[in-house]
Amino acid sequence: MPSHLPPGAQVLPDADAVARAAADHLVAVCAEAPGDRIAVCLSGGSTPKRLYELLAGPDYVDRLPWARLHWFFGDDRVVPWDDARSNVRMVREAFGHGAPVPETHLHFIPSDLGPERGAEAYARALLDFYGADRLDPARPLFDLVLLGLGEDGHTASLFPGKPALAEREALAVAVPEAGLAPFVPRITLTHPALASARWSLFLVTGAGKREVLRRLRAGEDLPAGHVTSLGRLVWLVDEAAAGA
């Protein structure tokens, strides 16, 4: 394995193989999840979109307990849900008509309330779903968190040098100024919220990610490097990103 990759990273042939490996992880997570509800935190991006299309397709749609699955969002832009820049729209289009998702199981970030009010409302919604006023390290909020990696080292909408990185209490915060285009306000889950997971998967594809992986392995202070998980943290990396 190339020395610049995170410890234990799995190198796969291409972006499609990364998406399939993530789908297999979700199937396994569902099989071992306790209780009657399974909470999944979704990521934006092209590779996650391919994953969501796979889940709704013939290879996986009958392997998932859709009635138990609840879908949350790690971040979103403060735009209408039908805007082309919205993660809500991307997920809806990727699932299409193939995924039997109850509408009440898609927990959208309320971007229509604006950055600050939307973040507060989403944090409340997460705790209402969780059933407590604060997170318990012994009981993760999410069964699975899906994460991407930006070329600047950001994940979700946690950008280098932005105030959201310092948040240790709130589960969701406003990001008034994004770290890259499109420069519209965002709402993001915080590091404590993302860490409250049984499984966390980074999906990293493309040659453009090779340098940021090297920077992370070298110990550079980047947002993605501060992601932790109460359970297992796994990196799925394609050969282009790995330089294999």
Side-chain angles (χ1 to χ4, degrees), residues 67-123:
R68 295 173 61 203
L69 282 159
H70 287 256
W71 309 91
F72 295 86
F73 290 74
D75 71 323
D76 209 350
R77 301 177 180 94
V78 181
V79 296
W81 289 339
D82 60 355
D83 189 289
R85 298 168 293 180
S86 168
N87 283 339
V88 168
R89 175 172 170 174
M90 182 271 284
V91 169
R92 277 175 156 169
E93 290 180 348
F95 278 160
H97 298 293
V101 182
E103 189 66 19
T104 56
H105 288 203
L106 279 171
H107 302 271
F108 303 151
I109 293 177
S111 56
D112 56 321
L113 299 179
E116 289 78 15
R117 289 180 58 209
E120 292 172 1
Y122 206 55

Side-chain angles (χ1 to χ4, degrees), residues 39-43 52 70 72-74 142 144-147 189 194:
V40 179
C41 183
L42 302 174
S43 171
Y52 310 149
H70 287 256
F72 295 86
F73 290 74
F142 299 113
L144 175 66
V145 168
L146 298 168
L147 297 160
L189 297 195
L194 296 174

Side-chain angles (χ1 to χ4, degrees), residues 5-6 9-13 18 202 204-205 213 235-239 241-242:
L5 295 183
Q10 300 176 26
V11 179
L12 298 147
V18 167
F202 268 99
V204 185
T205 60
L213 285 170
W235 291 73
L236 303 177
V237 182
D238 76 351
E239 289 182 356

Side-chain angles (χ1 to χ4, degrees), residues 117-149:
R117 289 180 58 209
E120 292 172 1
Y122 206 55
R124 287 196 302 271
L126 288 167
L127 288 174
D128 286 346
F129 179 86
Y130 186 70
D133 292 333
R134 61 177 58 248
L135 298 180
D136 179 351
R139 183 167 67 93
L141 169 61
F142 299 113
D143 293 281
L144 175 66
V145 168
L146 298 168
L147 297 160
L149 174 65

